């Protein structure tokens, strides 16, 4: 229980620190949101009245306190660019980004885990060397370039795949998949390469330990040895890397959403930055922060489930 409590305190502290940094940074950035809303022709009286209405003429600590209260209640203010609540914009775009991130993680898990185990069992053989070489290339490919290649050679060749836009799951499951598979693969392929190498390394480290030889000497099949013993004992380092990949996927859909014209949070962030829509940018930054911190918190809890010694320490 104390382990979970310490992790939770760390979670809250991290979110608080990021909120302070985020709020402070947007106070010192050049550009005036009031002038953005009213235009360059607005007179000083209009500017001062709107600044007072938005509370921008109050001390910074009061502005920060009100903003934090809004975060806790879900009231993130109004977007300057769209003239509507930030939370409504986020809720409208989140299903796209979450669907993309979820499908990406499915690809990473279902492909990298079996391939890593296969390569470890075939250590230094042709298949292992080939997979290691291919994944080395996969780690080096920029996501925007990979996305364009997939559009050109798959999206343009097969009518099933849509190269832009998004079809909601409620409208058509096949349609949603047709719009998400290529973007998900664009994000997943470099992450598959990373996770493959960590899985392979973790498996090889376990295979060389004495308990594996003991289990094999008892006549257990190689498949049972790998899945019941080796994989289970390799899960801590694998879970660590997968947690980092999850956080990177959630926070890293911005470029891919632009390439495939997906109306997700990433594309919304680009629009907000371009229009100096500070309330919207702040809301999106805090969403990304909370998502990443929650992923790390979940991984920490899973550590204690997989290895009770962590709780004791």
């Amino acid at each position: 229980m104390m382990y979970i409590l310490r992790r939770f305190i760390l979670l809250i502290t991290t979110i608080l620190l990021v909120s302070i940094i985020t709020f402070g940074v947007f106070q010192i950035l050049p550009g005036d949101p009031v002038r953005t809303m009213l235009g360059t022709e607005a007179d000083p009286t209009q500017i001062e009245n709107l600044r007072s209405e938005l509370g921008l003429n109050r001390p910074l600590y009061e502005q920060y306190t009100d903003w934090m209260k809004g975060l806790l209640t879900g009231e993130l203010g109004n977007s300057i660019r769209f003239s509507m609540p930030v939370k409504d914009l986020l809720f409208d775009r989140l299903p796209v980004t979450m669907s993309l991130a979820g499908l990406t993680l499915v690809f990473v898990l279902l492909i990298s885990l079996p391939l890593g185990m296969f390569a470890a069992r075939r250590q230094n053989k042709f298949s292992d060397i080939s997979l290691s070489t291919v994944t080395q290339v996969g780690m080096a490919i920029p996501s925007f370039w990979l996305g364009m290649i997939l559009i050109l050679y798959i999206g343009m060749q097969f009518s099933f795949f849509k190269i832009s836009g998004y079809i909601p799951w409620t409208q058509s499951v096949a349609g949603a998949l047709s719009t998400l598979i290529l973007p998900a693969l664009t994000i997943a392929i470099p992450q598959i390469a990373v996770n493959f190498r960590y899985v392979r390394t973790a498996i090889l480290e376990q295979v060389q330990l004495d308990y594996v030889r003991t289990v094999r000497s008892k006549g257990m099949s190689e498949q049972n040895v790998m899945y019941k013993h080796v994989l289970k004992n390799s899960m801590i380092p694998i879970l660590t890397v997968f947690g980092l990949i999850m956080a990177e996927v959630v926070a890293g859909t911005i470029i891919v959403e632009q390439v495939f014209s997906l109306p997700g949070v990433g594309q919304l962030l680009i629009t907000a930055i371009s229009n100096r829509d500070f309330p919207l940018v702040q809301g999106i930054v805090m969403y990304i922060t909370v998502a990443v911190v929650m992923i790390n918190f979940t991984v920490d809890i899973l550590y204690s489930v997989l290895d009770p010694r962590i709780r004791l320490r």
Side-chain angles (χ1 to χ4, degrees):
M1 189 63 186
M2 287 301 299
Y3 173 80
I4 297 177
L5 181 61
R6 287 196 300 269
R7 297 292 97 187
F8 183 75
I9 292 173
L10 180 61
L11 179 151
I12 297 299
T13 303
T14 303
I15 293 176
L16 182 62
L17 289 175
V18 171
S19 71
I20 294 173
I21 294 171
T22 301
F23 182 83
V25 164
F26 283 103
Q27 300 305 314
I28 62 176
L29 284 178
D32 187 348
V34 173
R35 291 188 179 274
T36 301
M37 296 174 71
L38 295 178
T40 56
E41 303 299 325
D43 60 65
T45 302
Q46 288 178 310
I47 293 174
E48 190 58 36
N49 288 338
L50 183 56
R51 191 181 300 277
S52 176
E53 181 182 335
L54 296 175
L56 298 178
N57 57 350
R58 294 181 301 159
L60 288 181
Y61 72 89
E62 290 186 9
Q63 294 183 45
Y64 174 75
T65 302
D66 288 345
W67 184 61
M68 282 301 296
K69 289 178 181 177
L71 286 177
L72 295 175
T73 59
E75 297 296 333
L76 302 175
N78 291 322
S79 165
I80 297 172
R81 169 67 176 80
F82 297 97
S83 299
M84 60 184 298
V86 171
K87 68 174 183 179
D88 292 345
L89 288 168
L90 281 175
F91 286 150
D92 184 53
R93 303 297 185 98
L94 272 176
V96 182
T97 299
M98 290 293 98
S99 296
L100 177 58
L103 188 59
T104 299
L105 293 173
V106 169
F107 284 149
V108 172
L109 187 61
L110 294 183
I111 296 175
S112 63
L113 193 58
L115 283 182
M117 296 181 65
F118 173 78
R121 294 174 64 180
R122 308 277 297 178
Q123 184 183 12
N124 296 329
K125 295 185 179 179
F126 177 76
S127 54
D128 176 35
I129 295 172
S130 300
L131 285 171
S132 298
T133 303
V134 170
T135 54
Q136 188 69 39
V137 175
M139 292 170 62
I141 298 177
S143 58
F144 68 90
W145 184 83
L146 178 58
M148 291 187 288
I149 293 297
L150 292 178
I151 289 174
L152 184 61
Y153 290 101
I154 297 180
M156 301 292 289
Q157 305 299 326
F158 300 94
S159 59
F160 173 76
F161 298 104
K162 304 294 187 296
I163 60 176
S164 65
Y166 173 72
I167 299 174
W169 295 95
T170 53
Q171 182 178 331
S172 170
V173 173
L177 289 173
S178 70
T179 59
L180 290 174
I181 286 178
L182 291 184
L185 284 174
T186 301
I187 305 173
I189 287 174
Q191 304 305 330
I192 289 171
V194 171
N195 204 44
F196 162 84
R197 300 181 75 84
Y198 276 94
V199 170
R200 177 183 178 276
T201 301
I203 295 294
L204 287 176
E205 288 178 355
Q206 290 295 319
V207 165
Q208 297 171 5
L209 298 180
D210 292 338
Y211 81 90
V212 176
R213 287 191 293 269
T214 302
V215 171
R216 283 172 173 165
S217 67
K218 294 181 178 181
M220 182 175 288
S221 67
E222 187 65 21
Q223 185 174 358
N224 285 336
V225 171
M226 293 297 293
Y227 283 97
K228 290 186 177 181
H229 296 278
V230 175
L231 181 60
K232 181 179 178 181
N233 290 316
S234 304
M235 284 308 297
I236 292 293
I238 292 174
L239 182 61
T240 301
V241 176
F242 191 69
L244 295 174
I245 289 174
M246 288 174 66
E248 186 172 343
V249 166
V250 170
T253 60
I254 298 172
I255 295 177
V256 173
E257 287 183 3
Q258 288 293 109
V259 172
F260 288 90
S261 299
L262 288 172
V265 174
Q267 192 179 75
L268 185 64
L269 178 59
I270 297 296
T271 303
I273 293 173
S274 302
N275 291 276
R276 296 185 179 276
D277 192 342
F278 293 162
L280 183 53
V281 175
Q282 287 176 320
I284 295 174
V285 169
M286 290 309 300
Y287 144 73
I288 294 174
T289 299
V290 171
V292 171
V293 171
M294 287 302 299
I295 288 171
N296 290 332
F297 177 73
T298 303
V299 170
D300 286 339
I301 300 305
L302 290 176
Y303 284 162
S304 64
V305 173
L306 292 171
D307 189 350
R309 292 174 298 179
I310 293 177
R311 291 198 301 269
L312 295 177
R313 287 198 294 267

